[in-house]
């Protein structure tokens, strides 16, 4: 077989199919992310409000707090939940398809704009980081934002102005950090490639106009944000694939001074520096995408230079084995929030091996969560509030049982005033590992009565509780968000000749 006839698409699709199969096998232990419960509970809150709510009344209930998270993903979740789809099935489905849709989008973008061979190498480098792969499941709105952003850049390169702007707009309505990452990448690309300067600026300005409502909400809500989120354990725990960064820098130098066709890769890398304030996001999650692009480019470049060498087969096989199997990384870890932690070398840290051997922790315990949620439903009404001393437990069981909670995830945004969650909550959930003397004092103080237990949880009812959820009406009813979505869709699908001359 001649090397120019190598079936690169076939090799790429084999890898994608393998990951799809591994995702299906992983179904039983999904959902693995705590974030999905926040998103499910927020979608439930939207359904209670009848549309998008700018006030989070379903967490820190009954007080609530400002809600500035972009709404697109939650609006998408709200419809199947309204139709009665199980929240656990919905969570499993989202975490199952997210990495595969992202991978297909990335492959499609690289293949259509830069060629079949480099698209294979990009997919190969994608396989080198298990933690980036896991972030695609754990950070679902960010993953959806990455998909929109990649498609946006693809249309930018094809000079499809309005469609590119609409996709960047969807980024802004999906995830704060990812949207600014792509807007910055497009701006830098416009500076690096003069042929696209005006187009890049037009895409950014048009998307800003379309996104002005959500941008105003975010800017207004920044005053409620504390630095607490950057002190969390996840923010200080990350993995660095040193060799890939070396190769990425080599690829960056080549692009800046020689292979200028790929300057959009350089733009994404320079833009990813905005994630540095959150090292986990920069090294192990969304900020790692440009590294994948640059290393994929560099491997393709080396292959092109050596393809007539008698040793090219050995070089190729070595690259495949290293990226998909060995893939060592340096991991920073912390023992608890705020601890300095340390560093260690992890071998065999690839996405392929991580998925094959089921690496990663799962927080899905159906033998505890489902019975506990039934107890909550049987002993409370739809307007009652639940609480657990452990925030994550309170939010998980609230999302599954369809109740507001006095707990909250993402505590960067606090309520305007504080209250006593034991007074305002109808159902209290303790963990069996909680200090017995402390829980005993609380149950006596508030007159709590035991209503059920599971292997892990003990549930109590507060019969004295008179507080209810302080439900707010939607800031934007679903019919308004649906109309806005329909308008954007019609603009996106409109023939180019109807709008090209007017922009």
């Amino acid at each position: 077989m001649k090397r120019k006839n190598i079936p690169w698409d076939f090799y790429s699709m084999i890898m994608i199919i393998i990951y799809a199969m591994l995702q299906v096998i992983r179904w039983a232990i999904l959902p693995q992310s705590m974030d999905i419960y926040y998103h499910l509970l927020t979608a439930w809150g939207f359904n209670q409000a009848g549309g998008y709510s700018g006030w989070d009344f379903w967490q820190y209930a009954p007080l609530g707090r400002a809600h500035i998270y972009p709404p697109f993903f939650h609006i998408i979740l709200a419809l199947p939940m309204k139709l009665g789809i199980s929240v656990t099935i919905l969570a499993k489905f989202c975490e199952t398809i997210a990495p595969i849709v992202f991978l297909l989008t990335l492959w499609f973008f690289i293949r259509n704009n830069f060629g079949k061979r480099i698209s294979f190498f990009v997919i190969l480098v994608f396989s080198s980081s298990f933690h980036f792969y896991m972030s695609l499941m754990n950070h679902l709105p960010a993953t959806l934002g990455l998909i929109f952003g990649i498609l946006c850049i693809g249309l930018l390169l094809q000079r499809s102005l309005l469609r590119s702007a609409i996709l960047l707009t969807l980024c802004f309505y999906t995830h704060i950090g990812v949207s600014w990452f792509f807007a910055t990448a497009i701006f830098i690309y416009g500076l690096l490639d003069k042929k696209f300067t005006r187009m890049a600026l037009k895409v950014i300005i048009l998307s800003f106009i379309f996104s002005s409502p959500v941008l105003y909400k975010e800017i207004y809500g920044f005053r409620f944000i504390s630095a607490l989120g950057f002190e969390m354990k996840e923010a200080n725990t990350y993995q660095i694939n040193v060799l890939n960064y070396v190769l990425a820098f080599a690829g960056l130098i080549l692009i800046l001074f020689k292979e200028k066709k790929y300057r959009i890769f350089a733009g994404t890398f320079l833009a990813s520096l905005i994630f540095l304030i959150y090292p986990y996001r920069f090294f192990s999650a969304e900020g790692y995408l440009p590294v994948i692009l640059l290393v994929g480019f560099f491997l393709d470049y080396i292959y092109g230079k050596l393809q007539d060498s008698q040793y090219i087969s050995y070089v190729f096989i070595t690259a495949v084995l290293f990226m998909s199997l060995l893939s060592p990384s340096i991991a920073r870890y912390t023992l608890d929030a705020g601890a300095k932690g340390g560093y260690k070398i992890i071998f065999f840290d690839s996405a392929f091996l991580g998925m094959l051997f089921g690496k990663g922790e799962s927080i899905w315990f159906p033998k505890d969560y489902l019975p506990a949620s039934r107890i909550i439903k049987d002993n409370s009404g739809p307007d009652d509030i639940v609480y657990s001393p452990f925030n994550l437990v309170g939010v998980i069981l609230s999302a599954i049982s369809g109740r507001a909670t006095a707990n909250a995830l993402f505590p960067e945004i606090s309520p305007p005033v504080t209250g006593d969650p034991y007074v305002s909550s109808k159902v209290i959930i303790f963990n069996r590992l909680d200090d017995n003397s402390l829980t005993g004092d609380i149950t006596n103080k508030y007159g709590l009565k035991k209503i059920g237990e599971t292997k892990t949880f003990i549930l109590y009812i507060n019969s004295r509780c008179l507080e209810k959820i302080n439900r707010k009406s939607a800031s934007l009813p679903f019919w308004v968000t649906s109309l806005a979505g329909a308008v954007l869709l019609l603009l996106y699908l409109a023939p180019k000749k109807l709008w090209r001359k007017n922009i």
Side-chain angles (χ1 to χ4, degrees):
M1 179 186 295
K2 295 182 179 180
R3 289 198 177 98
K4 66 179 181 180
N5 294 324
I6 291 176
W8 298 109
D9 281 352
F10 175 76
Y11 294 154
S12 297
M13 290 310 300
I14 287 295
M15 286 192 287
I16 294 172
I17 290 170
I18 288 173
Y19 282 118
M21 294 172 61
L22 291 173
Q23 281 294 108
V24 172
I25 293 172
R26 206 176 183 90
W27 177 276
I29 64 173
L30 298 179
Q32 286 190 257
S33 166
M34 69 176 183
D35 291 12
I36 185 60
Y37 297 103
Y38 167 86
H39 300 306
L40 290 168
L41 190 56
T42 300
W44 176 84
F46 282 10
N47 279 332
Q48 298 301 302
Y52 167 74
S53 173
W55 189 257
D56 181 353
F57 58 82
W58 49 91
Q59 295 184 105
Y60 284 134
L63 300 170
R65 60 178 175 176
H67 178 66
I68 67 171
Y69 205 106
F72 183 79
F73 183 60
H74 307 124
I75 292 172
I76 296 299
L77 288 177
L79 178 59
M81 289 175 64
K82 192 80 170 177
L83 296 175
I85 303 296
S86 164
V87 293
T88 57
I89 296 298
L90 190 57
K92 286 174 177 285
F93 175 76
C94 289
E95 289 194 7
T96 297
I97 68 167
I100 305 308
V101 175
F102 170 85
L103 196 50
L104 284 168
T105 303
L106 181 64
W107 172 76
F108 177 82
F109 163 70
I110 299 296
R111 181 186 184 277
N112 279 14
N113 292 283
F114 303 103
K116 297 178 182 180
R117 191 179 71 193
I118 188 175
S119 67
F120 164 79
F121 283 109
V122 167
I123 299 304
L124 177 64
V125 180
F126 168 88
S127 302
S128 67
S129 174
F130 175 65
H131 299 279
F132 177 75
Y133 190 100
M134 287 299 296
S135 77
L136 298 174
M137 288 192 283
N138 295 343
H139 307 156
L140 291 172
T143 302
L144 186 56
L146 289 175
I147 291 168
F148 288 145
I150 291 169
L151 293 174
C152 165
I153 291 176
L155 288 169
L156 171 71
L157 296 178
Q158 297 171 20
R159 296 187 177 275
S160 184
L161 172 59
L162 185 60
R163 291 174 181 172
S164 180
I166 288 173
L167 284 164
L168 185 56
T169 298
L170 289 177
C171 268
F172 278 107
Y173 280 95
T174 304
H175 193 270
I176 296 175
V178 169
S179 56
W180 284 104
F181 161 59
F182 279 108
T184 306
I186 290 170
F187 177 76
I188 294 174
Y189 177 57
L191 297 179
L192 294 175
D193 191 337
K194 300 302 180 183
K195 294 182 296 184
F196 281 91
T197 301
R198 293 182 64 186
M199 174 70 73
L201 288 175
K202 287 180 180 180
V203 167
I204 293 170
I205 292 170
L206 199 55
S207 68
F208 281 175
I209 294 172
F210 290 153
S211 306
S212 55
V214 72
L215 290 173
Y216 170 79
K217 180 66 177 177
E218 290 167 6
I219 293 170
Y220 176 79
F222 282 159
R223 61 186 178 136
F224 301 112
I225 297 178
S226 70
L228 179 61
F230 299 110
E231 298 170 2
M232 293 186 297
K233 182 176 180 179
E234 182 193 56
N236 297 305
T237 304
Y238 48 85
Q239 298 75 30
I240 305 174
N241 191 314
V242 176
L243 178 60
N244 275 5
Y245 271 92
V246 172
L247 298 179
F249 281 119
L252 181 63
I253 298 300
L254 276 172
I255 289 171
L256 291 176
F257 295 101
K258 188 174 182 180
E259 299 292 328
K260 297 184 178 181
K261 173 185 176 182
Y262 301 93
R263 278 175 286 196
I264 187 61
F265 295 177
T268 60
F269 181 80
L270 296 174
S272 71
L273 297 177
I274 68 173
F275 292 120
L276 270 176
I277 59 173
Y278 198 162
Y280 171 76
R281 295 271 181 174
F282 178 74
F283 289 112
S284 304
E286 294 77 32
Y288 190 71
L289 173 60
V291 175
I292 292 173
L293 298 176
L294 289 172
V295 178
F297 156 75
F298 184 76
L299 292 179
D300 177 72
Y301 178 84
I302 294 300
Y303 185 92
K305 293 296 182 182
L306 299 178
Q307 62 182 332
D308 295 326
S309 167
Q310 60 178 322
Y311 301 109
I312 186 61
S313 297
Y314 300 105
V315 174
F316 177 77
I317 293 172
T318 299
V320 169
L321 293 178
F322 191 89
M323 291 293 174
S324 60
L325 297 178
L326 183 59
S327 191
S329 64
I330 297 176
R332 186 184 190 278
Y333 61 91
T334 55
L335 300 177
D336 51 61
K340 291 184 178 180
Y343 295 87
K344 60 182 177 181
I345 298 177
I346 301 177
F347 292 98
F348 305 105
D349 203 23
S350 68
F352 172 70
L353 288 183
M355 290 298 294
L356 184 65
F357 294 111
K359 287 174 62 178
E361 297 179 0
S362 176
I363 58 172
W364 173 239
F365 306 110
K367 292 183 180 179
D368 276 311
Y369 294 160
L370 297 180
S373 68
R374 284 194 292 270
I375 295 171
I376 291 171
K377 290 179 181 179
D378 291 343
N379 290 274
S380 65
D383 292 335
D384 286 322
I385 301 165
V386 304
Y387 176 73
S388 169
F390 186 28
N391 266 331
L392 181 57
V393 169
V395 173
I396 288 175
L397 293 180
S398 295
I400 297 174
S401 59
R403 298 290 185 269
T405 178
N407 297 105
L409 288 184
F410 306 141
E412 297 96 323
I413 301 179
S414 302
V417 294
T418 57
D420 188 336
Y422 293 103
V423 171
S424 59
S425 302
K426 186 76 171 184
V427 178
I428 312 295
I429 309 110
F430 288 116
N431 191 302
R432 288 186 180 276
L433 298 178
D434 291 334
D435 186 284
N436 289 332
S437 60
L438 178 61
T439 57
D441 290 342
I442 293 173
T443 56
N444 291 332
K445 178 180 178 180
Y446 296 97
L448 307 181
K449 296 181 180 179
K450 182 178 173 181
I451 53 174
E453 59 185 289
T454 69
K455 183 179 179 180
T456 304
F457 306 123
I458 304 175
L459 294 90
Y460 292 84
I461 191 167
N462 181 1
S463 56
R464 302 174 187 173
C465 176
L466 299 177
E467 296 276 7
K468 301 292 182 180
I469 183 176
N470 187 14
R471 188 179 284 105
K472 303 290 186 181
S473 297
S475 307
L476 292 173
F478 280 129
W479 71 266
V480 174
T481 58
S482 299
L483 179 61
V487 170
L488 283 179
L489 181 61
L490 288 174
L491 287 174
Y492 186 87
L493 296 176
K496 290 183 180 181
K497 62 182 180 180
L498 295 181
W499 49 260
R500 173 173 279 177
K501 294 182 180 180
N502 297 318
I503 297 180

